[in-house]
């Protein structure tokens, strides 16, 4: 056989082998175990999952694919069977989800707190430690306020605070109230660009870089406590749910390994989330 022919055959063989290895690699990637987690924008946009999930995958080999949205939307996604597990922060809604049979068990994982953020000049005079009083002042002043308006855990907390302040949001929203129907990061961006007030979770606020003239004005009120929980979706509702893998994540995130990984996540030396699985 001529040298040129042998070289052609060799190139053809090598090209075929490359395609075969690529196909095998792709098949292995497709069969690697993974779960779909419906979670919140605060866990995603704060950077926690970028720190937490690789540690879980390294230990177990299970990939976690996150769909970040408001807590209400995350629970609805799980109700439809489009997620294997939820990791959210609206305890009343979580307990209802389990009571309706959609979740196996709610496990407390960690907490941080909400903060009321606004322009440094604080034209509505809300600065202090009383969240209810602050919301009342915002309503009375008709101050610009950005609400997520997305049925998230943060939105649910905000609505509780308006109600406690005697503001009937269904009948008469304050003059400066605007709903963005968006995640925490975009809501903060809108507030920063418009000099508005906004309720935020501390984790996203600490990781938020486009602060402009915004600063924390209200913090430290016990009502601002923000608890997160994890729930495996019930296979009795959706047989295709990956219960074994999802339960492995739920068990890991409340284990000493998962809890210490959460505690280790900091920005500029400040801890964003505080593990409390054993305290609930």
């Amino acid at each position: 056989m001529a040298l040129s022919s042998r070289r052609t055959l060799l190139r053809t063989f090598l090209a075929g082998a490359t395609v075969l290895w690529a196909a095998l690699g792709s098949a292995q990637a497709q069969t690697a175990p993974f779960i779909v987690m419906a979670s919140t924008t605060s866990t995603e946009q704060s950077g926690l999952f970028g720190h937490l999930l690789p540690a879980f995958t390294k230990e177990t080999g299970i990939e976690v694919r996150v769909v970040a949205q408001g807590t209400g939307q995350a629970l609805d996604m799980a109700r439809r069977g489009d997620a294997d597990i939820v990791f959210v922060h609206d305890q009343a809604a979580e307990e209802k989800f389990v009571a309706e049979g959609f979740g196996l068990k709610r496990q407390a994982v960690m907490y941080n707190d909400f903060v009321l953020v606004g322009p440094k000049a604080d034209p509505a005079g809300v600065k202090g430690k009383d969240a209810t009083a602050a919301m009342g002042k915002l309503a009375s002043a008709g101050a610009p306020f950005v609400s997520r308006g997305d049925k998230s855990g943060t939105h649910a907390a905000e609505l509780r605070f308006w109600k406690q302040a005697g503001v009937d949001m269904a009948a008469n929203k304050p003059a400066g109230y605007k709903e963005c129907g968006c995640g925490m990061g975009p809501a903060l961006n809108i507030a920063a660009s418009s000099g508005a007030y906004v309720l935020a979770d501390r984790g996203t606020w600490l990781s938020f870089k486009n602060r402009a003239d915004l600063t924390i004005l209200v913090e430290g009120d016990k009502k601002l406590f923000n608890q997160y929980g994890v729930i495996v979706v019930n296979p009795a509702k959706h047989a295709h749910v990956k219960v074994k893998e999802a339960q492995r994540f739920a068990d890991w995130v409340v284990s000493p390994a998962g809890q210490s990984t959460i505690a280790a996540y900091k920005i500029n030396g400040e801890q964003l989330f505080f593990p409390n699985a054993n305290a609930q």
Side-chain angles (χ1 to χ4, degrees), residues 34-265:
F34 71 90
I35 57 173
V36 175
M37 177 188 292
S39 191
T40 74
T41 62
S42 59
T43 45
E44 180 78 4
Q45 294 172 1
S46 66
L48 174 68
F49 279 163
H51 167 81
L52 181 69
L53 300 185
F56 170 72
T57 300
K58 182 179 180 180
E59 184 171 323
T60 65
I62 301 170
E63 178 191 353
V64 183
R65 301 179 182 177
V66 177
V67 180
Q69 54 201 320
T71 287
Q73 294 170 320
L75 291 171
D76 285 343
M77 179 180 172
R79 283 188 177 93
R80 297 191 300 269
D82 294 332
D84 302 300
I85 193 168
V86 291
F87 193 162
V88 290
H89 63 133
D90 184 350
Q91 186 165 343
E94 295 164 43
E95 290 173 348
K96 181 181 179 184
F97 178 82
V98 173
E100 292 171 343
F102 288 102
L104 292 180
K105 177 185 178 182
R106 177 189 177 275
Q107 294 175 271
V109 177
M110 63 187 189
Y111 71 91
N112 65 0
D113 62 343
F114 294 112
V115 291
L116 184 62
V117 172
K120 291 177 182 177
D122 188 19
V126 303
K127 187 174 178 60
K129 291 188 175 182
D130 191 330
T132 301
M135 299 304 267
K137 289 178 181 179
L138 288 174
S140 297
F145 182 92
V146 178
S147 169
R148 285 181 54 176
D150 62 349
K151 297 183 180 180
S152 61
T154 305
H155 183 215
E158 176 215 315
L159 292 177
R160 288 197 302 272
F161 301 150
W162 287 121
K163 184 176 181 180
Q164 291 164 6
V167 180
D168 187 347
M169 297 299 287
N172 188 23
K173 292 182 174 63
Y177 183 86
K178 303 292 182 184
E179 291 183 339
C180 69
C182 61
M184 195 69 258
L188 282 165
N189 274 320
I190 294 169
S193 64
S194 61
Y197 293 83
V198 60
L199 184 72
D201 69 279
R202 190 182 293 271
T204 306
W205 168 252
L206 287 174
S207 63
F208 182 64
K209 295 180 174 60
N210 184 33
R211 297 185 180 183
D213 192 44
L214 296 183
T215 189
I216 293 177
L217 295 171
V218 180
E219 61 182 329
D221 190 330
K222 291 181 179 179
K223 293 190 289 293
L224 295 170
F225 179 80
N226 181 28
Q227 177 70 48
Y228 288 78
V230 67
I231 308 170
V232 176
V233 177
N234 190 349
K237 292 285 187 180
H238 302 287
H240 63 272
V241 167
K242 298 176 182 176
V243 177
K244 181 179 177 181
E245 293 86 352
Q247 189 62 57
R248 190 143 183 214
F249 176 81
D251 292 341
W252 179 84
V253 81
V254 301
S255 73
Q259 295 279 281
S260 63
T261 303
I262 291 169
Y265 182 55

